[in-house]
Amino acid sequence: MQILLAEDDDGVAAALVEVLYDHGHVTRRVRYGRDVLTYHRSADLLLLDLGLPDTDGLDVLRALRAVSAMSVVVLTARGDERSVVRGLRLGADDYLVKPVRLAELLARIDAVTRRAAGPPGARIVRTVRAGDVEVDLEARRVQVAGAEVELTAKEFDVLAVLAGRAGTAVSREQLLDEVWGHAHHAMSRSRSLDVHLTQLRAKLGRPELLTTIRGFGYRFGDATDFGD
Ligand code: CA
């Protein structure tokens, strides 16, 4: 398997590259967060340190998740619960705290890869439909009754988080984390979410599509629209 390793510590990186190689994985090691966004396409799995010299790893993860569903295992010294929760919410498939036990790391890489492959014949859903609304998550396009609706990048990001879990309630906190990240002021990102949701609802013209779940968050569509 091709692994992309984002790690700024030379000693840690060298040890990881060696043990991964011994277990049949080819690793490209990068030092900076920005390199992850340059090289992710050529890898099957990303091993991501959070304390990188240029960008916080969680910001790298959020940027990556906007463009890629690749497997991500966070590997970091940051073991506090808040960081672990943020990492998983932002889309990490697994989260390991350093110092890592190497056999466990290899087993977790295998487990994440197995899950990503899914059962034979399964494929990742890229287009979500609810009534006459169609959201293409890959192409970042939305159609209502066959007509294209123009959304801003942020409006689409909000819609994509909700449509990606269609029929399921998504908490406000999770939506804020995924679209705005923790770098922004809590009050301003909260206001920003309200503004974007209002715009989104107006542009889509389907008030029943984005349901507010009082005191919790939002849901795209109705659970009954999507089976199960
Ligand atoms: Ca580091």
Side-chain angles (χ1 to χ4, degrees):
M1 188 165 54
Q2 303 279 338
I3 294 180
L4 181 62
L5 168 65
E7 170 63 68
D8 59 317
D9 184 303
D10 291 336
V12 171
L16 286 172
V17 168
E18 192 179 330
V19 77
L20 290 168
Y21 180 79
D22 287 345
H23 289 81
H25 303 302
V26 179
T27 306
R28 181 201 290 263
R29 182 261 178 136
V30 297
R31 191 183 299 273
Y32 297 100
R34 60 171 180 270
D35 296 333
V36 169
L37 299 170
T38 308
Y39 295 115
H40 72 89
R41 279 185 197 83
S42 55
D44 306 302
L45 179 137
L46 168 67
L47 276 180
L48 178 65
D49 180 23
L50 296 185
L52 296 170
D54 60 333
T55 330
D56 188 279
L58 290 177
D59 290 328
V60 174
L61 179 57
R62 180 157 29 78
L64 179 73
R65 277 292 175 251
V67 295
S68 170
M70 79 185 296
S71 298
V72 178
V73 175
V74 169
L75 197 54
T76 178
R78 230 181 271 170
D80 62 289
E81 186 178 20
R82 178 133 182 86
S83 295
V84 175
V85 168
R86 273 188 189 283
L88 294 170
R89 276 192 175 164
L90 284 173
D93 299 286
D94 207 342
Y95 192 111
L96 291 173
V97 178
K98 291 175 183 169
V100 69
R101 293 175 293 203
L102 293 173
E104 181 179 351
L105 172 64
L106 292 164
R108 287 186 183 270
I109 286 173
D110 288 346
V112 162
T113 310
R114 235 174 12 242
R115 280 203 300 273
R123 54 176 215 96
I124 297 166
V125 176
R126 282 287 153 225
T127 302
V128 182
R129 290 180 192 84
D132 61 357
V133 177
E134 191 174 301
V135 184
D136 185 334
L137 297 171
E138 199 99 292
R140 295 178 62 88
R141 295 172 66 171
V142 187
Q143 292 195 340
V144 177
E148 186 99 16
V149 177
E150 295 279 338
L151 299 181
T152 66
K154 272 282 187 268
E155 286 162 6
F156 190 88
D157 289 343
V158 171
L159 180 63
V161 170
L162 294 169
R165 299 173 186 72
T168 309
V170 177
S171 74
R172 234 181 118 80
E173 185 62 24
Q174 172 144 14
L175 202 47
L176 290 166
D177 271 358
E178 289 194 31
V179 178
W180 279 272
H182 61 289
H184 299 267
H185 191 268
M187 184 78 88
S188 68
R189 60 178 207 161
S190 186
R191 263 193 224 113
S192 194
L193 173 58
D194 292 334
V195 170
H196 283 85
L197 271 166
T198 304
Q199 295 279 25
L200 201 48
R201 283 177 164 139
K203 286 186 180 179
L204 296 174
R206 296 286 181 277
E208 74 288 354
L209 187 67
L210 298 172
T211 309
T212 300
I213 298 157
R214 210 163 279 287
F216 181 76
Y218 307 92
R219 187 183 62 227
F220 176 95
D222 212 300
T224 55
D225 293 346
F226 308 99
D228 300 299

